[in-house]
Amino acid sequence: MKKFLVLSLTLFTAFVVAACGTSDRPDFQMMWFSDGTEGQVMRELLERYRDETGVYIELFEIGWDVYETRLGTMIDGGEAPALVRTTEGVMNNFKDLLIELDDVFDTTAYTNIFYSANNLPLGLPMDVTANGLFVNTDILDRCGVEYPVRGDEDIWTWDEFTTEMDKLRDCDDVSVPGVFDFQGHRFMAMIYQQGVKIWNEPFTDSNLTSPEAVQALTILHDFYQNGMISKEVFVSGGAAAEMFQTGTVGFHMSGNWRVSGYGDNDFEWAVIPMPTGPEGHRATLLGGKAMSAVQGSGNEQAAKDFIAWLAEPANHDEFNNFVPFLSARIGAEIDFGEFQEAYSMFQDEINATDPAFVSDWLTQTQIPGMYPMINLMTDRAAEGVMTPLEILEALEASLIAAME
Amino acid sequence: MRRHRTPWFTYPLAVFFAAFFLIPVIYAVMSAFKPVAELRLIVPTFFPRSLTLDNFRSAWNAVPHFPTVLFNTFLVAVSSTALAVTINTMSGYALAKFRFKGDTLILMIILATIMLPLEVIMVPIFRVLRFFGMYNSLWALIIPPAATPAGIFLMRQFLLTIPNDLIESARIDGASEWKIFYKIIVPNAKPAIATIAIFSFMWRWNDYIWPLIAISSPRKYTLQLAIATFQGQYQTDWSSLLATSAISMIPMLIIFLIFQRQFVQGTVETGMKG
């Protein structure tokens, strides 16, 4: 018995030692988060990169909730990953720790670039995200809602949108007319749709308390208060897509990142033009993900070499084609397959957005901690305890204080 | 002698609380077998209308190196538990039955570490792991969490109830300190050992924050880290997440069913709760 125990213990220890050892050690690592299949697509690209160059980059995925915490811990602890997938929020929060990539790729070939204080790029833009309006066409057709489609000359205004969507309130099998994704990103586009920029150049005074901005927030505020959109999203922080996928919600204000996830919806859906303000201004808010290199990883040059490889049109397009995503590379041709019509609508929204609004929003994303501030203020609209003007005055004060 | 009677409401109350805690777990397991469309129903179903294993298949495909991840979790939980039981029993015995200079101070220091949440000391821990060359190694998941302050304290409290006379008489009979430990302390501490073993296994199996700090290679991920990757910025893959969560419950159920008696006894005697 004793011999058996000793033998078992020895074998187990040997097993543990073997399992804890390292084999096939990567040259360096890439930190990643996924909303769908893009992690798998990047892994395949990394395999090809290894075949071509012999450099083994290991991709490791982290849940979004703890993504920035984990990145901060690794950098502070001296184990910075060489490469990291970034959003404009991540680039903003870690801008002093990312490598400027001015000598790595041609910035004129890409859109939606996030710049450092030195006006140098902090990440290679990989994909572009844009806000857009999803509708359950089964419900809208059944309930007699009239709506525009891509190519129509007359796009609906917010007033017309409200009138039409009001029809859903009395329609059978509709749990709530609509849902908005959480949270500030959707609202800021509404300000531009009212025809006003947030900042007056040189970006010191804001228009956040202008009648146009107040009108934008009043629409959102009233939607929450009169039940046009569900408060559940504001409470739970992110169940909008799940609610829309129940097939009992008329519209979902979201973005192109939802398209592939909606592929298996068991109802007919479409992406249609977002409403405009009274002057007919169309606007979507651009966002997206980028590939950044981190300072202090010990593999800075190798990381830059990979980004240069990724910036080559064939490699960049392969990533966006296989997911598929709207590409940040100007002139890229992406095959969206069954989702071609939906993506064309997003492209249409982007094309219809005044470039002045795009650069205005990019200025906004440079403000430290601006996302939590905007989200907090749009939460206030859902709570209904402050007037839209009071909310915007508080937001303006917070953003200006953060800039100073 | 008056016979103690159980009040009439005890059993309905027990059933109510059992249902209160069990229903969400059963619902999660049932949901793992539902088709994606059924997961989205506005009025959710409790039992699946049609059973499917698709969620398990998609989870298996979505997690890189799924079998390795399962194996890592098992290896970490078993090894760390074995180590925890050994260290906690020895430490608890030393603090309960030996008087030496600074023993109370050591106990106080051990207890003080319970007061610090892990999140507060994440960066220092990360640096320590790196200093000892354990970063991104399964050793980092096995060794540091093995000596839990709560485990040492509970073992000490339990061993205080063993009469000193038992140990003294063994010494008079010529037993060595090791022999006393193995022949007297360990057999008498079985309920506490079982409790610590079960809790330790459960903690290590379900641990998320510690592996998150210590591991970065997907080949060394544990199940909880893998589950967290289903959560993206805008989308959560609920079907895969539920399926993987259901898989992660199985070992805990087996362990509990095997050690149920010791677990209940140990919980009652040490006052330990999950």
Side-chain angles (χ1 to χ4, degrees), chain A residues 77 79, chain B residues 124-137 139-140 143-144 210:
Chain A
E79 285 284 347
Chain B
I125 285 177
F126 192 91
R127 286 174 184 268
V128 171
L129 290 176
R130 210 169 156 251
F131 178 78
F132 284 106
M134 286 194 283
Y135 174 67
N136 200 22
S137 151
W139 290 118
I143 296 172
W210 192 280

PDB file of all heavy atoms in Angstrom, chain A residues 77 79, chain B residues 124-137 139-140 143-144 210:
ATOM      1  N   GLY A  77       3.543  45.252 -14.164  1.00  0.00           N
ATOM      2  CA  GLY A  77       4.322  44.132 -13.647  1.00  0.00           C
ATOM      3  C   GLY A  77       5.520  43.776 -14.505  1.00  0.00           C
ATOM      4  O   GLY A  77       6.220  42.811 -14.209  1.00  0.00           O
ATOM      5  N   GLU A  79       5.527  42.773 -17.713  1.00  0.00           N
ATOM      6  CA  GLU A  79       5.292  41.707 -18.698  1.00  0.00           C
ATOM      7  C   GLU A  79       4.373  42.223 -19.806  1.00  0.00           C
ATOM      8  O   GLU A  79       3.409  41.552 -20.180  1.00  0.00           O
ATOM      9  CB  GLU A  79       4.657  40.483 -18.030  1.00  0.00           C
ATOM     10  CG  GLU A  79       5.597  39.648 -17.196  1.00  0.00           C
ATOM     11  CD  GLU A  79       6.537  38.777 -18.034  1.00  0.00           C
ATOM     12  OE1 GLU A  79       6.296  38.632 -19.243  1.00  0.00           O
ATOM     13  OE2 GLU A  79       7.520  38.283 -17.464  1.00  0.00           O
TER      14      GLU A  79
ATOM     15  N   PRO B 124       1.449  43.989  -6.901  1.00  0.00           N
ATOM     16  CA  PRO B 124       2.538  43.370  -6.115  1.00  0.00           C
ATOM     17  C   PRO B 124       2.609  41.853  -6.304  1.00  0.00           C
ATOM     18  O   PRO B 124       3.696  41.302  -6.453  1.00  0.00           O
ATOM     19  CB  PRO B 124       2.172  43.711  -4.671  1.00  0.00           C
ATOM     20  CG  PRO B 124       1.301  44.903  -4.756  1.00  0.00           C
ATOM     21  CD  PRO B 124       0.595  44.842  -6.058  1.00  0.00           C
ATOM     22  N   ILE B 125       1.453  41.203  -6.342  1.00  0.00           N
ATOM     23  CA  ILE B 125       1.448  39.739  -6.544  1.00  0.00           C
ATOM     24  C   ILE B 125       2.061  39.398  -7.896  1.00  0.00           C
ATOM     25  O   ILE B 125       2.863  38.473  -8.019  1.00  0.00           O
ATOM     26  CB  ILE B 125       0.006  39.192  -6.456  1.00  0.00           C
ATOM     27  CG1 ILE B 125      -0.445  39.170  -5.010  1.00  0.00           C
ATOM     28  CG2 ILE B 125      -0.081  37.784  -7.054  1.00  0.00           C
ATOM     29  CD1 ILE B 125      -1.862  38.732  -4.838  1.00  0.00           C
ATOM     30  N   PHE B 126       1.685  40.175  -8.878  1.00  0.00           N
ATOM     31  CA  PHE B 126       2.206  39.948 -10.231  1.00  0.00           C
ATOM     32  C   PHE B 126       3.735  40.022 -10.219  1.00  0.00           C
ATOM     33  O   PHE B 126       4.428  39.196 -10.805  1.00  0.00           O
ATOM     34  CB  PHE B 126       1.624  41.011 -11.170  1.00  0.00           C
ATOM     35  CG  PHE B 126       1.851  40.731 -12.621  1.00  0.00           C
ATOM     36  CD1 PHE B 126       0.921  40.023 -13.347  1.00  0.00           C
ATOM     37  CD2 PHE B 126       2.997  41.161 -13.261  1.00  0.00           C
ATOM     38  CE1 PHE B 126       1.113  39.769 -14.693  1.00  0.00           C
ATOM     39  CE2 PHE B 126       3.206  40.910 -14.605  1.00  0.00           C
ATOM     40  CZ  PHE B 126       2.261  40.213 -15.318  1.00  0.00           C
ATOM     41  N   ARG B 127       4.274  41.022  -9.501  1.00  0.00           N
ATOM     42  CA  ARG B 127       5.729  41.195  -9.443  1.00  0.00           C
ATOM     43  C   ARG B 127       6.388  40.036  -8.702  1.00  0.00           C
ATOM     44  O   ARG B 127       7.471  39.580  -9.078  1.00  0.00           O
ATOM     45  CB  ARG B 127       6.072  42.518  -8.759  1.00  0.00           C
ATOM     46  CG  ARG B 127       5.801  43.722  -9.645  1.00  0.00           C
ATOM     47  CD  ARG B 127       6.020  45.019  -8.887  1.00  0.00           C
ATOM     48  NE  ARG B 127       5.673  46.156  -9.721  1.00  0.00           N
ATOM     49  CZ  ARG B 127       6.542  46.796 -10.489  1.00  0.00           C
ATOM     50  NH1 ARG B 127       7.785  46.417 -10.538  1.00  0.00           N
ATOM     51  NH2 ARG B 127       6.153  47.830 -11.216  1.00  0.00           N
ATOM     52  N   VAL B 128       5.722  39.556  -7.651  1.00  0.00           N
ATOM     53  CA  VAL B 128       6.281  38.427  -6.889  1.00  0.00           C
ATOM     54  C   VAL B 128       6.327  37.170  -7.779  1.00  0.00           C
ATOM     55  O   VAL B 128       7.336  36.463  -7.822  1.00  0.00           O
ATOM     56  CB  VAL B 128       5.445  38.165  -5.608  1.00  0.00           C
ATOM     57  CG1 VAL B 128       5.876  36.869  -4.938  1.00  0.00           C
ATOM     58  CG2 VAL B 128       5.585  39.325  -4.642  1.00  0.00           C
ATOM     59  N   LEU B 129       5.232  36.933  -8.490  1.00  0.00           N
ATOM     60  CA  LEU B 129       5.179  35.768  -9.389  1.00  0.00           C
ATOM     61  C   LEU B 129       6.310  35.839 -10.408  1.00  0.00           C
ATOM     62  O   LEU B 129       6.983  34.854 -10.695  1.00  0.00           O
ATOM     63  CB  LEU B 129       3.843  35.719 -10.135  1.00  0.00           C
ATOM     64  CG  LEU B 129       2.604  35.377  -9.336  1.00  0.00           C
ATOM     65  CD1 LEU B 129       1.369  35.468 -10.222  1.00  0.00           C
ATOM     66  CD2 LEU B 129       2.702  33.980  -8.752  1.00  0.00           C
ATOM     67  N   ARG B 130       6.525  37.044 -10.909  1.00  0.00           N
ATOM     68  CA  ARG B 130       7.562  37.232 -11.917  1.00  0.00           C
ATOM     69  C   ARG B 130       8.952  37.011 -11.314  1.00  0.00           C
ATOM     70  O   ARG B 130       9.816  36.392 -11.925  1.00  0.00           O
ATOM     71  CB  ARG B 130       7.438  38.660 -12.458  1.00  0.00           C
ATOM     72  CG  ARG B 130       7.888  38.766 -13.871  1.00  0.00           C
ATOM     73  CD  ARG B 130       7.528  40.080 -14.472  1.00  0.00           C
ATOM     74  NE  ARG B 130       8.463  40.320 -15.559  1.00  0.00           N
ATOM     75  CZ  ARG B 130       9.406  41.224 -15.524  1.00  0.00           C
ATOM     76  NH1 ARG B 130       9.555  41.995 -14.486  1.00  0.00           N
ATOM     77  NH2 ARG B 130      10.229  41.358 -16.555  1.00  0.00           N
ATOM     78  N   PHE B 131       9.123  37.523 -10.091  1.00  0.00           N
ATOM     79  CA  PHE B 131      10.415  37.392  -9.411  1.00  0.00           C
ATOM     80  C   PHE B 131      10.785  35.916  -9.224  1.00  0.00           C
ATOM     81  O   PHE B 131      11.939  35.525  -9.383  1.00  0.00           O
ATOM     82  CB  PHE B 131      10.337  38.105  -8.050  1.00  0.00           C
ATOM     83  CG  PHE B 131      11.601  38.002  -7.246  1.00  0.00           C
ATOM     84  CD1 PHE B 131      12.701  38.813  -7.539  1.00  0.00           C
ATOM     85  CD2 PHE B 131      11.718  37.091  -6.202  1.00  0.00           C
ATOM     86  CE1 PHE B 131      13.872  38.712  -6.804  1.00  0.00           C
ATOM     87  CE2 PHE B 131      12.889  36.975  -5.468  1.00  0.00           C
ATOM     88  CZ  PHE B 131      13.969  37.793  -5.774  1.00  0.00           C
ATOM     89  N   PHE B 132       9.792  35.109  -8.880  1.00  0.00           N
ATOM     90  CA  PHE B 132      10.056  33.687  -8.665  1.00  0.00           C
ATOM     91  C   PHE B 132       9.987  32.856  -9.957  1.00  0.00           C
ATOM     92  O   PHE B 132      10.028  31.632  -9.914  1.00  0.00           O
ATOM     93  CB  PHE B 132       9.072  33.108  -7.635  1.00  0.00           C
ATOM     94  CG  PHE B 132       9.401  33.505  -6.231  1.00  0.00           C
ATOM     95  CD1 PHE B 132       8.637  34.443  -5.557  1.00  0.00           C
ATOM     96  CD2 PHE B 132      10.499  32.963  -5.576  1.00  0.00           C
ATOM     97  CE1 PHE B 132       8.950  34.830  -4.266  1.00  0.00           C
ATOM     98  CE2 PHE B 132      10.822  33.342  -4.279  1.00  0.00           C
ATOM     99  CZ  PHE B 132      10.048  34.278  -3.623  1.00  0.00           C
ATOM    100  N   GLY B 133       9.838  33.543 -11.077  1.00  0.00           N
ATOM    101  CA  GLY B 133       9.828  32.844 -12.367  1.00  0.00           C
ATOM    102  C   GLY B 133       8.588  31.989 -12.571  1.00  0.00           C
ATOM    103  O   GLY B 133       8.595  31.044 -13.362  1.00  0.00           O
ATOM    104  N   MET B 134       7.502  32.326 -11.862  1.00  0.00           N
ATOM    105  CA  MET B 134       6.293  31.497 -11.976  1.00  0.00           C
ATOM    106  C   MET B 134       5.258  32.091 -12.925  1.00  0.00           C
ATOM    107  O   MET B 134       4.237  31.457 -13.191  1.00  0.00           O
ATOM    108  CB  MET B 134       5.652  31.316 -10.598  1.00  0.00           C
ATOM    109  CG  MET B 134       6.405  30.356  -9.703  1.00  0.00           C
ATOM    110  SD  MET B 134       5.430  29.858  -8.278  1.00  0.00           S
ATOM    111  CE  MET B 134       5.556  31.269  -7.264  1.00  0.00           C
ATOM    112  N   TYR B 135       5.516  33.336 -13.412  1.00  0.00           N
ATOM    113  CA  TYR B 135       4.518  33.957 -14.273  1.00  0.00           C
ATOM    114  C   TYR B 135       4.288  33.112 -15.531  1.00  0.00           C
ATOM    115  O   TYR B 135       5.226  32.600 -16.124  1.00  0.00           O
ATOM    116  CB  TYR B 135       4.971  35.376 -14.667  1.00  0.00           C
ATOM    117  CG  TYR B 135       4.033  36.001 -15.669  1.00  0.00           C
ATOM    118  CD1 TYR B 135       2.733  36.325 -15.314  1.00  0.00           C
ATOM    119  CD2 TYR B 135       4.438  36.211 -16.982  1.00  0.00           C
ATOM    120  CE1 TYR B 135       1.868  36.856 -16.229  1.00  0.00           C
ATOM    121  CE2 TYR B 135       3.570  36.755 -17.907  1.00  0.00           C
ATOM    122  CZ  TYR B 135       2.285  37.076 -17.527  1.00  0.00           C
ATOM    123  OH  TYR B 135       1.411  37.594 -18.437  1.00  0.00           O
ATOM    124  N   ASN B 136       3.036  32.990 -15.885  1.00  0.00           N
ATOM    125  CA  ASN B 136       2.619  32.200 -17.045  1.00  0.00           C
ATOM    126  C   ASN B 136       3.035  30.727 -16.929  1.00  0.00           C
ATOM    127  O   ASN B 136       3.418  30.093 -17.904  1.00  0.00           O
ATOM    128  CB  ASN B 136       3.165  32.813 -18.345  1.00  0.00           C
ATOM    129  CG  ASN B 136       2.379  32.344 -19.552  1.00  0.00           C
ATOM    130  OD1 ASN B 136       1.231  31.916 -19.419  1.00  0.00           O
ATOM    131  ND2 ASN B 136       2.981  32.392 -20.719  1.00  0.00           N
ATOM    132  N   SER B 137       2.969  30.219 -15.697  1.00  0.00           N
ATOM    133  CA  SER B 137       3.236  28.799 -15.467  1.00  0.00           C
ATOM    134  C   SER B 137       2.137  28.271 -14.547  1.00  0.00           C
ATOM    135  O   SER B 137       1.630  29.002 -13.683  1.00  0.00           O
ATOM    136  CB  SER B 137       4.603  28.657 -14.802  1.00  0.00           C
ATOM    137  OG  SER B 137       4.616  27.510 -13.992  1.00  0.00           O
ATOM    138  N   TRP B 139       2.502  26.436 -12.170  1.00  0.00           N
ATOM    139  CA  TRP B 139       2.982  26.496 -10.775  1.00  0.00           C
ATOM    140  C   TRP B 139       2.392  27.703 -10.063  1.00  0.00           C
ATOM    141  O   TRP B 139       2.123  27.663  -8.860  1.00  0.00           O
ATOM    142  CB  TRP B 139       4.513  26.604 -10.732  1.00  0.00           C
ATOM    143  CG  TRP B 139       5.228  25.358 -11.147  1.00  0.00           C
ATOM    144  CD1 TRP B 139       6.073  25.219 -12.210  1.00  0.00           C
ATOM    145  CD2 TRP B 139       5.164  24.065 -10.524  1.00  0.00           C
ATOM    146  NE1 TRP B 139       6.524  23.924 -12.287  1.00  0.00           N
ATOM    147  CE2 TRP B 139       5.982  23.208 -11.267  1.00  0.00           C
ATOM    148  CE3 TRP B 139       4.475  23.572  -9.421  1.00  0.00           C
ATOM    149  CZ2 TRP B 139       6.151  21.858 -10.936  1.00  0.00           C
ATOM    150  CZ3 TRP B 139       4.632  22.232  -9.085  1.00  0.00           C
ATOM    151  CH2 TRP B 139       5.453  21.397  -9.846  1.00  0.00           C
ATOM    152  N   ALA B 140       2.215  28.795 -10.801  1.00  0.00           N
ATOM    153  CA  ALA B 140       1.687  30.024 -10.203  1.00  0.00           C
ATOM    154  C   ALA B 140       0.250  29.838  -9.717  1.00  0.00           C
ATOM    155  O   ALA B 140      -0.226  30.581  -8.860  1.00  0.00           O
ATOM    156  CB  ALA B 140       1.739  31.156 -11.216  1.00  0.00           C
ATOM    157  N   ILE B 143       0.991  26.723  -6.372  1.00  0.00           N
ATOM    158  CA  ILE B 143       1.735  26.956  -5.121  1.00  0.00           C
ATOM    159  C   ILE B 143       1.216  28.152  -4.302  1.00  0.00           C
ATOM    160  O   ILE B 143       0.834  27.970  -3.144  1.00  0.00           O
ATOM    161  CB  ILE B 143       3.250  27.099  -5.415  1.00  0.00           C
ATOM    162  CG1 ILE B 143       3.765  25.771  -5.985  1.00  0.00           C
ATOM    163  CG2 ILE B 143       4.020  27.465  -4.152  1.00  0.00           C
ATOM    164  CD1 ILE B 143       5.186  25.816  -6.485  1.00  0.00           C
ATOM    165  N   PRO B 144       1.170  29.370  -4.865  1.00  0.00           N
ATOM    166  CA  PRO B 144       0.823  30.506  -3.991  1.00  0.00           C
ATOM    167  C   PRO B 144      -0.537  30.403  -3.290  1.00  0.00           C
ATOM    168  O   PRO B 144      -0.633  30.759  -2.117  1.00  0.00           O
ATOM    169  CB  PRO B 144       0.870  31.714  -4.930  1.00  0.00           C
ATOM    170  CG  PRO B 144       1.710  31.280  -6.067  1.00  0.00           C
ATOM    171  CD  PRO B 144       1.454  29.818  -6.232  1.00  0.00           C
ATOM    172  N   TRP B 210      -7.185  35.029  -9.864  1.00  0.00           N
ATOM    173  CA  TRP B 210      -5.787  34.597  -9.748  1.00  0.00           C
ATOM    174  C   TRP B 210      -5.218  34.109 -11.095  1.00  0.00           C
ATOM    175  O   TRP B 210      -4.164  34.590 -11.532  1.00  0.00           O
ATOM    176  CB  TRP B 210      -5.655  33.536  -8.654  1.00  0.00           C
ATOM    177  CG  TRP B 210      -4.228  33.275  -8.296  1.00  0.00           C
ATOM    178  CD1 TRP B 210      -3.339  32.495  -8.962  1.00  0.00           C
ATOM    179  CD2 TRP B 210      -3.505  33.859  -7.219  1.00  0.00           C
ATOM    180  NE1 TRP B 210      -2.117  32.535  -8.361  1.00  0.00           N
ATOM    181  CE2 TRP B 210      -2.187  33.362  -7.283  1.00  0.00           C
ATOM    182  CE3 TRP B 210      -3.835  34.748  -6.189  1.00  0.00           C
ATOM    183  CZ2 TRP B 210      -1.203  33.705  -6.379  1.00  0.00           C
ATOM    184  CZ3 TRP B 210      -2.859  35.087  -5.280  1.00  0.00           C
ATOM    185  CH2 TRP B 210      -1.571  34.582  -5.383  1.00  0.00           C
TER     186      TRP B 210
END
